[in-house]
Amino acid sequence: MISYRHARRDELDQVLDWAAAEGWNPGLDDAAAFLAADPQGFFVASDGDTPVAAISVVNHNDSFAFLGLYIVQPAYRGQGIGHGLWQHALDHAGSRVVGLDGVPDQQSNYAASGFVHAGATTRYVGAIMGTAVPGIRPARPDDVAALVDREAAASGARKAAYMSAWFQNTPSRKTLLGPQGLCTVRACRVGAKIGPLLADDTDAVHDLLHAAAAVFPGDIMIDVPDAAPGLARLCADLGLTPGFETARMYRGPFAKGPGRLFAVTTLELG
């Protein structure tokens, strides 16, 4: 019998393994920061005691939530289990505006649930030469409050619990701060991802990307919204290749931030 419930901590690790199997390439240390955002925002559908589908609906503040990690195990697809879990989890958001980054084959389903297309995000992938850059340093704990404010101003939504955890340096996640920008780089199952990235000008972007590439070896991945065409051009100039695409969609009105050189933190939590 299928039941819907909150995910346990060990089950979130399992869901991230499912995400890796789907090719989403999560970070090595995502679970702790994700849970800090909203411990009640992760759900599974279970067949008996065995999770067979997952979704997250994380309440970032009193007016905004974000949906992600929507995965149904192949043997359980086409049976309405995912849709039932979707409806169960969306109740957690209440009357909040809900955002998501949807893969192409699901966007029509999201639209049927009231989500409206608001833009696209493209993942750029490739090798960048890592170099130490004078003036760029690891963020310190006393920087975090200001970094949360800067990310909120750029993205249009304040995500205090999530970003406060995200900007804490761990062995597999580092935030770098320069005079005109910041970025977080995290080791993933393959290579590393940069997000968020916020910069005042193109020179600051170059410096941050080269400094970030020196932190973890392997290819770099950056999820760039189409509202940041300048960053997309810089990624192309650096030899990064566009690939995986998603659509940013919202249920309810949402005002985008003004960040023009901006990469999203994650496609799972926004």
Side-chain angles (χ1 to χ4, degrees), residues 183-185 192-197 209 212 220-223 263-265:
C183 72
T184 300
V185 56
K193 290 180 183 174
I194 292 175
L197 182 149
L209 292 180
I220 290 291
M221 284 146 273
I222 311 171
D223 293 315
V264 299
T265 304

Side-chain angles (χ1 to χ4, degrees), residues 67-141:
L67 184 154
L69 289 173
Y70 184 38
I71 307 171
V72 180
Q73 289 295 86
Y76 289 84
R77 293 173 185 172
Q79 303 175 38
I81 294 169
H83 183 62
L85 181 61
W86 167 281
Q87 293 176 308
H88 175 83
L90 273 174
D91 286 344
H92 180 63
S95 61
R96 293 171 177 84
V97 173
V98 182
L100 61 81
D101 285 304
V103 296
D105 62 356
Q106 289 292 331
Q107 288 167 23
S108 61
N109 291 332
Y110 302 152
S113 292
F115 285 81
V116 176
H117 189 280
T121 299
T122 301
R123 177 165 295 170
Y124 285 81
V125 182
I128 298 175
M129 181 180 295
T131 57
V133 179
I136 292 180
R137 61 170 176 83
R140 299 186 295 258

Side-chain angles (χ1 to χ4, degrees), residues 184-236:
T184 300
V185 56
R186 78 193 198 275
C188 295
R189 306 295 177 97
V190 179
K193 290 180 183 174
I194 292 175
L197 182 149
L198 297 81
D200 294 338
D201 56 42
T202 56
D203 288 341
V205 172
H206 276 284
D207 288 347
L208 287 165
L209 292 180
H210 286 295
V215 176
F216 299 115
D219 281 349
I220 290 291
M221 284 146 273
I222 311 171
D223 293 315
V224 181
D226 60 5
L231 180 55
R233 287 192 295 270
L234 286 169
C235 288

Side-chain angles (χ1 to χ4, degrees), residues 6-34:
H6 292 291
R8 301 191 306 264
R9 172 65 173 81
D10 63 303
E11 290 170 339
L12 179 55
D13 291 329
Q14 181 181 7
V15 171
L16 291 172
D17 287 340
W18 293 354
E22 294 288 329
W24 299 352
N25 195 27
L28 301 181
D29 189 30
D30 285 354
F34 284 4

